[in-house]
Each structure stands twice: as C-alpha cells, then as structure tokens.
Amino acid sequence: MKLLRLNTAFYSILSLVLLVTSCKDKPDTNSNVLAMANMDTAAIIPKKQLSQEFKDYWYNGTAEITSYKLEQARYGEMREGTAVMIYVTEPFLPDAQVKADNNNKSNIPVLKLNSTKNYITGIYPYSIMTSSFYPVHDNQHALKLSFSSQEWCGHVYAQLNNKDDFEIMSHSYFESEGDQQYHLDKATLENEIWNKVRINPSDLPIGEISIIPSLEFIRLTHKEFRAYKAFTSLSTVNGISTYEITYPKLERTLKINFQNEFPYLIESWTDTFYDGFGNNKKQLTSKATRINRITTPYWQQKSNKDLSLRDSLGL
C-alpha cells in the first residue's frame, strides 16, 4: 500500500511538471502571441511623419501600375517577357498578417507592392508574383513577404512573416526542398528595398550590411535562405538615382534606377548574376525598362470594356 501511495505521488508530481512545461511551451510557439509581442516592440519605434505630398499621392483611391519590358535570364539564356509593379496603400492586420477588412486602431498602414513577371522558356511559360507589405511610416521591416512561381513542372511558394524573428515557410515540388519551416534573425530584406525607395530613399541602408536576398532569387537559384554580406551604394546622375546592391558570395549585383524626386518612380532595373546549371552556367544580366505607367482603381475595372487599359500598359 505504501508503494502504491509513493507511485501515485510520483506520477502526480510528474504530471504537474509536464503540465507546467506544456503550458510554458505553448505561448512560445503561438503565432498570435508572437504577433502581439512584435506589435508592442513596434509601438515604441518612432513613426516617420507622412508629408501632405505623400498623402495626396498614395491616398487618393487609386493604385499605381507600371509595366516594363523584361529581359530575364533563365537556364543560361535570355528570355523576353513583361513585368508589372502594382503599388497601393492598404490597412494591415498585425496579428493575422493579412489585409484588414475593417477599420481598427491596431491596423498598420502599409505600402503594398505586387510585382509580377511573365516569360517563356522554350515550350512552357513562367508566371511569378511577389508581394511585400511595408509600413508607410518606415519604422520597421516589411511585415510580410510572399512569393509564388508557376510553370509546367510545378508550383513553388514561400512566405516570410515578421514576428519576434522572421518566420519562413517554403513549399516546393523538388524533393530536396519540399515543405520547410524555419526562423531567421532579422536583417534588411531585399524585397522591402523596393518599398523603401518609394517612401524614403534617403534612408536606404548604405555601406556593408547583411541582406536577405529576394524570395524570387533564393527560390529560383536554390540558394540557402539566409542573410548574406552585401555592399550597397546610392548615386544620382541626371535626375535618376541608382541604388546598387552587390553580394560577393552570390556573385550578383542588383541596380534599381528611380527618379530622384517624389514620388520616386522606378524607371528600370538590372540584375547581374551567374545563371544556368552545368555547362550552361554563365554570367547574364536581366533587365527591365519602363513601358508605361497609370494610376487607377484597377480592382473596379474587371469588365470587358476595361481591356483597353491593358493596351495602354503595353500588355
């Protein structure tokens, strides 16, 4: 009987320990708790004031759509296609990390960029889209990034969420990449640079820094998803500013060319890197050059009569 009481006491203590441990572990992995913790941290970071010029341009009920002629390096050859950049402001829910459907004091105003690329490789097409959600007050990293690539071999998808650290989710049809989830320490995101250019280019990071390359580059080149040492610079010639990022280890240089006065319109970009595999691997430069730009509430323009707007963008 004494032995039974001892065993009962032992298992009661063990159950209590497991219960305490279990309760302690849950908040550490709960995304809502992490999001709230991130909100509290963000709240103490000073918000940069928005100028009236900024408000008039970005809060007039329209989106800015720019089309580009694309020359894209893929599989060691150059491909012709089109790229489109859609910038629009919207409210963002920091806990669920999605666009807010309703007004709420916890909403974070963001400048969202949806960037698309479409080109053909031989017989089959590529369709690529990247989204980045960046606070208009320019006081923290992008709140969320997402990337998808569709082609006849399959789908590739990746998402980064800004919580206590960067939470990464990646899915691929490749066996070696498959379904992955991991965390990264926070660093400058290449994807957020395109938003910062439009908001406050004078505050772009300059010098030797750590940058996490774009989701597109990481996924399509099958590089390790992490921060890399990079050298950055900003120069201006004849009214066009160029922000340059060079990654020594990746042997890659990205140049973003934009007007040096508000609203800092992006005119073109080049991306030089070693593309292809095996004997087809060579240094190539992808290029995008502006075709046209319009501002319009495109989400309301979904009738056949609106097809002419695509003509105006050269699409």
Side-chain angles (χ1 to χ4, degrees), residues 58-117:
W58 289 113
Y59 289 94
N60 64 4
T62 66
E64 179 196 277
I65 306 172
T66 308
S67 55
Y68 300 86
K69 176 185 177 183
L70 179 66
E71 300 172 60
Q72 180 67 43
R74 190 68 180 140
Y75 302 124
E77 296 182 285
M78 298 304 301
R79 321 291 179 160
E80 293 186 357
T82 56
V84 180
M85 302 183 82
I86 305 102
Y87 283 98
V88 65
T89 52
E90 62 185 31
F92 190 83
L93 275 173
D95 49 355
Q97 296 222 315
V98 292
K99 178 182 177 180
D101 291 333
N102 302 293
N103 291 328
N104 190 299
K105 65 179 180 180
S106 67
N107 290 347
I108 297 177
V110 300
L111 178 63
K112 179 178 73 174
L113 168 61
N114 284 337
S115 176
T116 69
K117 291 181 179 179

Coordinates of all heavy atoms in Angstrom, one line a residue, residues 58-117:
W58 N -0.6 58.9 -52.4 CA -0.8 57.5 -52.1 C -2.2 57.2 -51.5 O -2.6 56.0 -51.3 CB 0.3 57.0 -51.2 CG 1.6 56.8 -51.9 CD1 2.7 57.6 -51.7 CD2 1.9 55.9 -52.9 NE1 3.7 57.2 -52.5 CE2 3.3 56.1 -53.3 CE3 1.2 54.9 -53.6 CZ2 3.9 55.4 -54.3 CZ3 1.8 54.2 -54.6 CH2 3.2 54.4 -54.9
Y59 N -2.9 58.2 -51.1 CA -4.3 58.0 -50.5 C -5.4 58.8 -51.3 O -6.2 59.4 -50.8 CB -4.3 58.5 -49.1 CG -3.5 57.6 -48.2 CD1 -2.1 57.9 -47.9 CD2 -4.0 56.4 -47.6 CE1 -1.4 57.0 -47.0 CE2 -3.3 55.6 -46.8 CZ -2.0 55.9 -46.5 OH -1.3 55.0 -45.7
N60 N -5.3 58.6 -52.6 CA -6.3 59.2 -53.5 C -7.3 58.2 -54.1 O -8.0 58.5 -55.1 CB -5.6 60.0 -54.6 CG -4.8 59.1 -55.5 OD1 -4.8 57.9 -55.4 ND2 -4.1 59.7 -56.5
G61 N -7.3 57.0 -53.6 CA -8.2 56.0 -54.0 C -7.8 55.2 -55.3 O -8.7 54.5 -55.9
T62 N -6.6 55.3 -55.6 CA -6.1 54.6 -56.8 C -4.8 53.8 -56.5 O -4.2 54.0 -55.4 CB -5.8 55.5 -58.0 OG1 -4.6 56.4 -57.6 CG2 -7.0 56.4 -58.3
A63 N -4.4 52.9 -57.4 CA -3.2 52.2 -57.3 C -2.3 52.7 -58.5 O -2.8 53.2 -59.5 CB -3.4 50.7 -57.4
E64 N -1.0 52.6 -58.3 CA 0.0 53.0 -59.3 C 0.4 51.7 -60.0 O 0.9 50.7 -59.4 CB 1.2 53.7 -58.8 CG 2.2 54.0 -59.8 CD 3.6 54.4 -59.2 OE1 3.7 55.5 -58.7 OE2 4.4 53.5 -59.1
I65 N 0.2 51.6 -61.3 CA 0.6 50.4 -62.1 C 1.6 50.8 -63.2 O 1.4 51.7 -64.0 CB -0.7 49.8 -62.8 CG1 -1.8 49.5 -61.8 CG2 -0.3 48.5 -63.5 CD1 -3.1 49.1 -62.4
T66 N 2.7 50.1 -63.2 CA 3.8 50.3 -64.1 C 4.2 49.1 -64.8 O 4.4 48.0 -64.2 CB 5.1 50.9 -63.5 OG1 4.7 52.0 -62.7 CG2 6.1 51.4 -64.5
S67 N 4.2 49.1 -66.2 CA 4.6 47.9 -67.0 C 6.0 48.1 -67.5 O 6.5 49.2 -67.7 CB 3.6 47.8 -68.2 OG 3.6 49.0 -68.9
Y68 N 6.7 47.0 -67.6 CA 8.1 47.0 -68.0 C 8.4 45.9 -69.1 O 7.8 44.8 -69.1 CB 9.0 46.7 -66.8 CG 9.0 47.7 -65.7 CD1 8.0 47.5 -64.7 CD2 9.8 48.8 -65.6 CE1 7.9 48.4 -63.7 CE2 9.7 49.7 -64.6 CZ 8.8 49.5 -63.6 OH 8.7 50.4 -62.5
K69 N 9.2 46.3 -70.0 CA 9.7 45.3 -71.0 C 10.8 44.5 -70.2 O 11.7 45.1 -69.6 CB 10.4 45.9 -72.2 CG 11.0 44.9 -73.2 CD 11.7 45.6 -74.3 CE 12.4 44.6 -75.2 NZ 13.2 45.3 -76.3
L70 N 10.7 43.2 -70.2 CA 11.5 42.3 -69.4 C 12.4 41.5 -70.3 O 12.0 40.9 -71.2 CB 10.7 41.4 -68.5 CG 11.4 40.4 -67.6 CD1 12.2 41.2 -66.5 CD2 10.4 39.4 -67.0
E71 N 13.7 41.5 -69.9 CA 14.7 40.5 -70.5 C 15.2 39.7 -69.3 O 16.0 40.2 -68.5 CB 15.8 41.3 -71.2 CG 15.4 42.2 -72.3 CD 16.5 43.1 -72.9 OE1 17.5 42.5 -73.3 OE2 16.3 44.3 -72.8
Q72 N 14.8 38.5 -69.2 CA 15.0 37.7 -68.0 C 16.0 36.5 -68.3 O 15.8 35.7 -69.2 CB 13.7 37.1 -67.4 CG 13.9 36.3 -66.2 CD 14.3 37.1 -65.0 OE1 13.8 38.2 -64.8 NE2 15.2 36.5 -64.2
A73 N 17.0 36.4 -67.5 CA 18.0 35.3 -67.5 C 17.3 34.1 -66.9 O 16.8 34.1 -65.8 CB 19.3 35.6 -66.9
R74 N 17.3 32.9 -67.6 CA 16.8 31.7 -67.1 C 17.4 30.5 -67.8 O 17.3 30.5 -69.0 CB 15.2 31.7 -67.1 CG 14.6 30.5 -66.4 CD 14.8 30.7 -64.9 NE 14.2 29.6 -64.1 CZ 14.7 29.1 -63.0 NH1 15.9 29.5 -62.6 NH2 14.1 28.1 -62.4
Y75 N 17.9 29.6 -67.1 CA 18.6 28.4 -67.7 C 19.7 28.7 -68.6 O 19.9 28.1 -69.7 CB 17.5 27.5 -68.4 CG 16.4 27.0 -67.5 CD1 15.1 27.3 -67.8 CD2 16.7 26.4 -66.3 CE1 14.0 26.9 -67.0 CE2 15.6 25.9 -65.5 CZ 14.3 26.2 -65.8 OH 13.3 25.8 -65.0
G76 N 20.4 29.8 -68.3 CA 21.6 30.2 -69.1 C 21.3 30.9 -70.4 O 22.2 31.0 -71.2
E77 N 20.1 31.3 -70.6 CA 19.7 32.1 -71.8 C 18.8 33.2 -71.4 O 18.2 33.2 -70.3 CB 18.9 31.2 -72.8 CG 19.7 30.0 -73.3 CD 18.9 29.2 -74.3 OE1 18.0 28.4 -73.9 OE2 19.1 29.3 -75.5
M78 N 18.7 34.2 -72.3 CA 17.9 35.4 -72.1 C 16.5 35.1 -72.6 O 16.3 34.6 -73.7 CB 18.5 36.6 -72.7 CG 19.8 37.0 -72.2 SD 19.8 37.3 -70.3 CE 18.6 38.6 -70.2
R79 N 15.5 35.5 -71.9 CA 14.1 35.3 -72.3 C 13.4 36.7 -72.3 O 13.6 37.6 -71.5 CB 13.3 34.5 -71.2 CG 14.1 33.3 -70.7 CD 14.4 32.2 -71.8 NE 15.2 31.1 -71.2 CZ 15.3 29.9 -71.8 NH1 14.6 29.7 -72.9 NH2 16.0 29.0 -71.2
E80 N 12.5 36.9 -73.3 CA 11.7 38.1 -73.3 C 10.4 38.0 -72.7 O 9.7 36.9 -72.7 CB 11.5 38.5 -74.8 CG 12.8 38.9 -75.5 CD 12.5 39.4 -76.9 OE1 11.4 39.4 -77.3 OE2 13.5 39.9 -77.6
G81 N 9.9 39.0 -72.0 CA 8.6 39.0 -71.3 C 8.2 40.3 -70.8 O 8.7 41.4 -71.3
T82 N 7.3 40.3 -69.9 CA 6.8 41.6 -69.3 C 6.9 41.5 -67.8 O 6.7 40.4 -67.2 CB 5.4 41.9 -69.7 OG1 4.5 40.8 -69.4 CG2 5.3 42.2 -71.2
A83 N 7.0 42.6 -67.1 CA 6.9 42.7 -65.7 C 6.0 43.9 -65.4 O 5.8 44.8 -66.1 CB 8.3 43.0 -65.1
V84 N 5.3 43.7 -64.3 CA 4.3 44.8 -63.8 C 4.5 45.0 -62.3 O 4.7 44.0 -61.6 CB 2.9 44.4 -64.1 CG1 1.9 45.5 -63.6 CG2 2.6 44.1 -65.6
M85 N 4.6 46.2 -61.9 CA 4.7 46.6 -60.5 C 3.4 47.4 -60.1 O 3.1 48.4 -60.7 CB 5.9 47.4 -60.2 CG 7.2 46.7 -60.6 SD 8.7 47.6 -60.2 CE 8.9 47.1 -58.4
I86 N 2.7 46.9 -59.1 CA 1.5 47.5 -58.6 C 1.7 48.0 -57.2 O 1.8 47.1 -56.3 CB 0.2 46.5 -58.7 CG1 0.1 46.0 -60.1 CG2 -1.0 47.3 -58.3 CD1 0.6 44.6 -60.3
Y87 N 1.7 49.3 -57.0 CA 1.8 49.8 -55.6 C 0.5 50.4 -55.2 O -0.2 51.1 -56.0 CB 2.8 51.0 -55.6 CG 4.3 50.6 -55.7 CD1 5.0 50.6 -56.9 CD2 5.0 50.3 -54.5 CE1 6.3 50.3 -56.9 CE2 6.3 50.0 -54.6 CZ 7.0 50.0 -55.8 OH 8.3 49.6 -55.8
V88 N 0.1 50.1 -54.0 CA -1.1 50.6 -53.4 C -1.0 50.6 -51.9 O -0.4 49.7 -51.3 CB -2.3 49.7 -53.9 CG1 -2.3 48.3 -53.3 CG2 -3.7 50.4 -53.5
T89 N -1.7 51.6 -51.3 CA -1.7 51.6 -49.8 C -2.9 50.8 -49.3 O -4.0 50.9 -49.9 CB -1.7 53.0 -49.2 OG1 -2.8 53.8 -49.9 CG2 -0.4 53.7 -49.5
E90 N -2.8 50.2 -48.1 CA -3.9 49.5 -47.5 C -3.7 49.3 -46.1 O -2.5 49.3 -45.6 CB -4.2 48.2 -48.3 CG -3.1 47.2 -48.2 CD -3.4 45.9 -49.0 OE1 -4.1 46.1 -50.1 OE2 -2.9 44.8 -48.7
P91 N -4.7 49.0 -45.3 CA -4.6 48.7 -43.8 C -4.2 47.2 -43.7 O -4.7 46.4 -44.4 CB -5.9 49.0 -43.3 CG -6.9 48.7 -44.4 CD -6.2 49.1 -45.6
F92 N -3.3 47.0 -42.7 CA -2.8 45.6 -42.5 C -3.0 45.2 -41.1 O -2.7 46.0 -40.1 CB -1.3 45.6 -42.8 CG -0.6 44.3 -42.9 CD1 -0.7 43.5 -44.0 CD2 0.1 43.8 -41.8 CE1 0.0 42.3 -44.1 CE2 0.7 42.6 -41.8 CZ 0.6 41.8 -43.0
L93 N -3.5 44.0 -40.9 CA -3.7 43.4 -39.6 C -2.5 42.8 -39.0 O -2.0 41.8 -39.6 CB -4.8 42.4 -39.6 CG -6.3 42.8 -39.5 CD1 -7.2 41.7 -39.7 CD2 -6.6 43.5 -38.1
P94 N -1.9 43.3 -38.0 CA -0.6 42.8 -37.5 C -0.7 41.4 -36.9 O 0.3 40.7 -36.9 CB -0.1 43.9 -36.5 CG -1.4 44.5 -36.0 CD -2.3 44.5 -37.2
D95 N -1.9 41.1 -36.3 CA -2.0 39.8 -35.7 C -2.2 38.7 -36.7 O -1.4 37.7 -36.8 CB -3.1 39.7 -34.6 CG -4.4 40.3 -35.2 OD1 -4.4 40.8 -36.3 OD2 -5.4 40.2 -34.4
A96 N -3.1 38.8 -37.6 CA -3.4 37.8 -38.6 C -2.4 38.0 -39.8 O -2.3 37.1 -40.6 CB -4.8 37.9 -39.1
Q97 N -1.8 39.1 -39.9 CA -0.8 39.5 -41.0 C -1.5 39.3 -42.4 O -1.0 38.6 -43.3 CB 0.4 38.6 -40.9 CG 1.2 38.9 -39.6 CD 2.7 39.0 -39.8 OE1 3.3 38.2 -40.4 NE2 3.3 40.0 -39.2
V98 N -2.6 39.9 -42.5 CA -3.4 40.0 -43.8 C -4.0 41.4 -43.9 O -4.0 42.2 -43.0 CB -4.5 38.9 -43.9 CG1 -3.9 37.5 -43.9 CG2 -5.4 39.1 -42.7
K99 N -4.5 41.7 -45.1 CA -5.1 43.0 -45.4 C -6.4 43.0 -44.5 O -7.2 42.1 -44.4 CB -5.6 43.1 -46.8 CG -6.3 44.3 -47.1 CD -6.8 44.4 -48.6 CE -7.6 45.6 -48.9 NZ -8.1 45.7 -50.3
A100 N -6.6 44.2 -43.8 CA -7.7 44.3 -42.9 C -9.0 44.6 -43.7 O -9.0 45.4 -44.6 CB -7.4 45.5 -41.9
D101 N -10.1 44.0 -43.3 CA -11.4 44.2 -44.0 C -12.1 45.4 -43.3 O -13.0 46.0 -44.0 CB -12.3 43.0 -43.8 CG -11.8 41.8 -44.7 OD1 -11.1 42.1 -45.7 OD2 -12.0 40.7 -44.3
N102 N -11.7 45.7 -42.1 CA -12.4 46.8 -41.4 C -11.5 47.7 -40.7 O -10.3 47.4 -40.4 CB -13.4 46.2 -40.3 CG -14.4 45.3 -40.9 OD1 -15.3 45.7 -41.7 ND2 -14.3 44.0 -40.6
N103 N -11.9 48.9 -40.4 CA -11.1 49.9 -39.6 C -10.9 49.4 -38.2 O -11.8 48.9 -37.5 CB -11.7 51.3 -39.6 CG -11.7 51.9 -40.9 OD1 -10.8 51.7 -41.8 ND2 -12.8 52.7 -41.2
N104 N -9.6 49.5 -37.7 CA -9.3 49.1 -36.4 C -8.1 49.9 -35.9 O -7.2 50.1 -36.7 CB -9.0 47.6 -36.4 CG -8.9 47.0 -34.9 OD1 -8.0 47.4 -34.2 ND2 -9.8 46.1 -34.6
K105 N -8.1 50.3 -34.7 CA -6.9 51.1 -34.2 C -5.6 50.4 -34.2 O -4.6 51.0 -34.2 CB -7.3 51.6 -32.8 CG -7.4 50.5 -31.7 CD -7.7 51.2 -30.4 CE -7.8 50.1 -29.3 NZ -8.0 50.7 -28.0
S106 N -5.7 49.0 -34.3 CA -4.5 48.2 -34.3 C -3.9 48.0 -35.7 O -2.8 47.5 -35.9 CB -4.7 46.9 -33.7 OG -5.6 46.1 -34.4
N107 N -4.7 48.4 -36.8 CA -4.3 48.3 -38.2 C -3.0 49.1 -38.4 O -2.8 50.2 -37.8 CB -5.3 48.8 -39.1 CG -6.5 47.9 -39.2 OD1 -6.5 46.8 -38.7 ND2 -7.6 48.4 -39.8
I108 N -2.1 48.5 -39.2 CA -0.9 49.2 -39.6 C -1.0 49.6 -41.1 O -1.2 48.8 -41.9 CB 0.4 48.3 -39.4 CG1 0.5 48.0 -37.9 CG2 1.6 49.0 -39.9 CD1 1.7 47.1 -37.6
P109 N -0.9 50.9 -41.4 CA -1.0 51.3 -42.8 C 0.3 50.9 -43.6 O 1.4 51.2 -43.1 CB -1.1 52.8 -42.8 CG -0.5 53.2 -41.5 CD -0.7 52.1 -40.5
V110 N 0.2 50.2 -44.7 CA 1.3 49.7 -45.4 C 1.2 50.2 -46.9 O 0.2 50.5 -47.4 CB 1.4 48.2 -45.4 CG1 1.5 47.7 -44.0 CG2 0.2 47.6 -46.1
L111 N 2.4 50.3 -47.5 CA 2.5 50.4 -48.9 C 2.8 49.0 -49.5 O 3.9 48.4 -49.2 CB 3.6 51.4 -49.3 CG 3.8 51.5 -50.9 CD1 2.6 52.1 -51.5 CD2 5.1 52.4 -51.1
K112 N 1.8 48.4 -50.2 CA 2.0 47.1 -50.7 C 2.5 47.1 -52.1 O 2.1 48.0 -52.9 CB 0.6 46.4 -50.7 CG 0.7 44.9 -51.2 CD -0.7 44.2 -51.2 CE -1.6 44.8 -52.2 NZ -2.9 44.0 -52.2
L113 N 3.4 46.2 -52.4 CA 3.9 46.1 -53.8 C 3.6 44.6 -54.2 O 4.0 43.7 -53.6 CB 5.4 46.3 -53.9 CG 6.1 45.9 -55.2 CD1 5.5 46.6 -56.4 CD2 7.6 46.0 -55.1
N114 N 2.8 44.5 -55.3 CA 2.6 43.3 -56.0 C 3.4 43.4 -57.3 O 3.2 44.2 -58.2 CB 1.2 43.0 -56.3 CG 0.4 42.5 -55.1 OD1 0.9 42.0 -54.2 ND2 -0.9 42.7 -55.1
S115 N 4.4 42.5 -57.4 CA 5.3 42.5 -58.6 C 5.2 41.2 -59.3 O 5.3 40.2 -58.8 CB 6.8 42.7 -58.1 OG 7.7 42.7 -59.2
T116 N 4.9 41.3 -60.6 CA 4.7 40.1 -61.5 C 5.8 40.1 -62.6 O 6.2 41.1 -63.1 CB 3.3 40.1 -62.0 OG1 3.2 41.1 -63.0 CG2 2.3 40.2 -61.0
K117 N 6.1 38.9 -63.0 CA 6.9 38.6 -64.2 C 6.3 37.5 -65.0 O 5.8 36.5 -64.4 CB 8.3 38.2 -63.8 CG 9.2 39.4 -63.2 CD 10.6 38.9 -62.9 CE 11.4 40.0 -62.3 NZ 12.8 39.5 -62.0

